[in-house]
Amino acid sequence: MRKTVLLLLLFSIALVLAGCAGFSASRENDYDDSLVVVGFSQVGSESDWRLANTASMVSALSEANGYRLLFDNARQKQENQYLAIRNFIQQDVNYIVLAPISETGWESVFREAKEAGIPVIVVDRQVNVEDESLYQSWVGSDFYQEGRMAVTWMEEQFSEEDTPLRILHLQGTEGATAQLMRSRALEEAVSRHEAWTIEAALKGEFTEAKGYEVVRDFLKTGTAFDVLYSENDNMTFGAMRALDEAGISYGREGKVKIISFDAVRKALQFCLEGKINLCVECNPLHGPRVDRLIKSCEAGETVPKSSYVEETFFTCETISQQVIDSREY
Ligand code: GZL
């Protein structure tokens, strides 16, 4: 008899604990299920541009705007983006948004998302997949056009056809669309101008630290150059520090002319001070576009396969404090 009572008592305790566990588990997932659940895999936080891009996405995909956002920072590693996407699939999100670190290697994980019935939206850099049905839409910049803006400025500044022009090329993360297209525009221009030469192509990985390191090491070779073509502002900031240390002047009155991409506020300030000659804008504010895309998908509307953001450029002569103060990033 005593044994039966004890067993019954243990069984009831087990039931109560299971019930609580069940209750606590359901409470963990107890969010407003009218929200659209979005898993966003971001490249990292390597640059001022990236921080502005993240801020734009987080503010647009807010709960007040009808979303539950799951955010993952891949810290510049593609395998972390694979992990994040598979995690989002397991959590059965409604949409996956990816800012890809590089163009290739997405087929299998995109196929897993498609098989799970989860649309993928790509932002910023592009993906290179055989089957374009693997993603719903892409929002980003025309990086080739950005490069064309820069080389057109160079052709205007250094118009004498036979004037030698020695270029130091500071490249972003290898294989990123921004790097591939900004580099292609420069390389095509150099092939058109016999007197133009690329003295070196340095890999700065879009970060200030790496930009400083590779330019510092290059300057030790004593190779002279006339123009620094730097594929993002943070690498430019690092290069400026290396040029300062080497006692090489730059900017409007300087020996070296500087071209920089992104046009974040700090770079525009340097442009106003005459330290950067040309800032080519790369618009990071993709959040509202992604919000509109998802809302269209939710309404069953057809969405464009790709949409480009508007961009411009600024020079020492055209930038002003008023323009800088009016910008969002
Ligand atoms: C461009 C973006 C690039 C920026 C860099 O859209 O992919 O990556 O130019 C960022 O600042 O790191």
Side-chain angles (χ1 to χ4, degrees), residues 46-47 49-50 124-125 143 178 182 206 231-232 262 282:
E46 75 283 2
S47 65
W49 186 97
R50 189 63 58 194
D124 180 24
R125 305 169 187 177
F143 303 107
R182 291 169 186 166
F206 284 136
E231 294 181 352
N232 94 322
D262 282 352
C282 180

Side-chain angles (χ1 to χ4, degrees), residues 43 46-50 76 100 124-125 140-141 143 146 173 176-179 182 205-207 231-234 261-262 264 282-284 286 311:
V43 166
E46 75 283 2
S47 65
D48 293 25
W49 186 97
R50 189 63 58 194
Q76 299 256 58
D124 180 24
R125 305 169 187 177
S141 300
F143 303 107
E146 291 173 3
T173 304
T177 315
Q179 177 271 312
R182 291 169 186 166
E205 296 173 6
F206 284 136
T207 67
E231 294 181 352
N232 94 322
D233 293 335
N234 292 77
F261 291 83
D262 282 352
V264 296
C282 180
N283 186 338
H286 298 147
E311 293 169 339

Side-chain angles (χ1 to χ4, degrees), residues 200-217:
L202 309 175
K203 303 202 181 314
E205 296 173 6
F206 284 136
T207 67
E208 183 167 344
K210 197 68 179 167
Y212 165 73
E213 182 192 311
V214 294
V215 172
R216 178 202 61 198
D217 294 349

Side-chain angles (χ1 to χ4, degrees), residues 71 96 98-99 133 142 162 177 200 211 248-249 258:
F71 174 78
I96 290 171
L98 170 71
S133 74
D142 184 340
D162 53 358
T177 315
I248 298 172
S249 64
I258 294 184

Side-chain angles (χ1 to χ4, degrees), residues 51-314:
L51 299 180
N53 179 248
T54 296
S56 173
M57 296 292 288
V58 169
S59 113
L61 302 177
S62 64
E63 187 161 334
N65 210 11
Y67 296 97
R68 179 165 177 255
L69 178 64
L70 309 179
F71 174 78
D72 181 84
N73 176 336
R75 293 181 300 285
Q76 299 256 58
K77 292 189 177 357
Q78 186 168 28
E79 57 270 23
N80 289 342
Q81 295 201 293
Y82 292 156
L83 284 171
I85 291 172
R86 291 189 168 109
N87 179 29
F88 295 149
I89 293 169
Q90 258 186 346
Q91 296 197 60
D92 196 22
V93 298
N94 300 113
Y95 294 85
I96 290 171
V97 178
L98 170 71
I101 183 159
S102 63
E103 289 200 345
T104 55
W106 300 104
E107 273 81 357
S108 55
V109 74
F110 276 19
R111 204 167 299 288
E112 290 167 38
K114 185 173 183 178
E115 282 156 11
I118 302 173
V120 175
I121 292 172
V122 181
V123 293
D124 180 24
R125 305 169 187 177
Q126 297 190 359
V127 293
N128 184 355
V129 290
E130 283 290 306
D131 175 3
E132 292 222 326
S133 74
L134 288 176
Y135 69 92
Q136 192 84 17
S137 186
W138 168 82
V139 181
S141 300
D142 184 340
F143 303 107
Y144 179 72
Q145 187 50 34
E146 291 173 3
R148 289 287 309 141
M149 285 191 245
V151 296
T152 301
W153 180 84
M154 289 165 74
E155 286 166 340
E156 288 161 358
Q157 296 302 311
F158 309 102
S159 50
E160 288 76 40
E161 193 42 47
D162 53 358
T163 311
L165 189 68
R166 299 162 299 181
I167 301 156
L168 179 58
H169 186 187
L170 188 46
Q171 294 182 302
T173 304
E174 213 168 348
T177 315
Q179 177 271 312
L180 294 168
M181 292 299 116
R182 291 169 186 166
S183 292
R184 178 182 297 176
L186 176 64
E187 289 151 5
E188 285 177 354
V190 170
S191 65
R192 283 198 310 272
H193 295 277
E194 216 172 293
W196 290 15
T197 54
I198 295 179
E199 299 304 316
L202 309 175
K203 303 202 181 314
E205 296 173 6
F206 284 136
T207 67
E208 183 167 344
K210 197 68 179 167
Y212 165 73
E213 182 192 311
V214 294
V215 172
R216 178 202 61 198
D217 294 349
F218 171 78
L219 295 179
K220 288 174 184 164
T221 67
T223 309
F225 60 100
D226 308 298
V227 175
L228 170 66
Y229 183 99
S230 173
E231 294 181 352
N232 94 322
D233 293 335
N234 292 77
M235 294 191 297
T236 303
F237 304 153
M240 288 162 70
R241 184 151 60 93
L243 288 164
D244 288 338
E245 288 175 359
I248 298 172
S249 64
Y250 49 84
R252 185 173 32 219
E253 320 301 333
K255 179 174 176 300
V256 168
K257 305 306 172 193
I258 294 184
I259 293 166
S260 190
F261 291 83
D262 282 352
V264 296
R265 188 183 306 282
K266 184 175 170 183
L268 293 177
Q269 206 62 51
F270 281 135
C271 195
L272 187 63
E273 294 164 15
K275 293 180 177 173
I276 296 178
N277 298 82
L278 174 73
C279 287
V280 180
E281 183 185 36
C282 180
N283 186 338
L285 307 179
H286 298 147
R289 286 176 184 81
V290 172
D291 171 35
R292 284 197 294 276
L293 263 178
I294 291 176
K295 296 248 167 68
S296 296
C297 292
E298 287 293 288
E301 295 162 4
T302 309
V303 294
K305 197 66 185 173
S306 56
S307 37
Y308 289 94
V309 291
E310 297 295 317
E311 293 169 339
T312 184
F313 64 88
F314 307 91

